[in-house]
Amino acid sequence: MKKRFTKKQLDVMKVLWESATPMIASDIVRKDDALNINTVQACLRSLIANHSIKVADIVYSYAPVISRDEYFGNTCTDILGDGQKSALIASLIDTETDLDELEHLEEMIAQRKHILINGGN
């Protein structure tokens, strides 16, 4: 499921990803002052067409279908290719200043290693 969003579509998706519940177009506009209702409605139509969001209710509230992690993972792979992931990760680690975040990254790496070593168990 490879998707590339325009800048405005990504702005709309960020608002939807941050919301715990589906949102209507006017709610999205209220959350991001840089968006106007016409732009949001056009983005919502195109995001529905490429199956990135769905209509969640009869009042046309919208919810994401693709997760933030899935989108950014696919986008990074598209941009960098499979061989350059370590350069991206090294860059992120070099710029990280929060020790809790670094510990969280270490835990994620350890969990992934465990899954790969144990064949998904």
Side-chain angles (χ1 to χ4, degrees), residues 5-112:
F5 299 139
T6 66
K7 168 78 171 90
K8 291 299 182 183
Q9 288 172 336
L10 185 56
D11 290 342
V12 169
M13 288 300 293
K14 286 178 183 177
V15 172
L16 290 173
W17 284 326
E18 293 297 320
S19 178
T21 59
M23 301 178 78
I24 60 175
S26 59
D27 291 338
I28 296 169
V29 172
R30 279 193 284 279
K31 291 285 186 178
D32 187 339
D33 295 337
L35 296 171
N36 69 53
I37 193 69
N38 293 328
T39 300
V40 168
Q41 289 174 335
C43 288
L44 292 171
R45 284 190 299 273
S46 64
L47 291 166
I48 287 171
N50 73 19
H51 306 287
S52 296
I53 65 171
K54 63 182 178 183
V55 176
D57 201 355
I58 59 172
V59 294
Y60 282 88
S61 57
Y62 302 91
V65 173
I66 183 172
S67 72
R68 180 189 312 256
D69 291 342
E70 183 179 11
Y71 175 72
F72 286 110
N74 288 339
T75 301
C76 288
T77 300
D78 286 349
I79 293 169
L80 298 172
D82 287 330
Q84 298 296 318
K85 290 178 187 173
S86 59
L88 173 64
I89 293 167
S91 173
L92 293 172
I93 291 170
D94 287 346
T95 59
E96 185 57 60
T97 59
D98 183 349
L99 289 176
D100 290 336
E101 186 65 21
L102 287 171
E103 288 177 13
H104 179 68
L105 291 170
E106 287 176 336
E107 290 171 12
M108 290 172 56
I109 290 169
Q111 288 173 354
R112 184 66 182 152

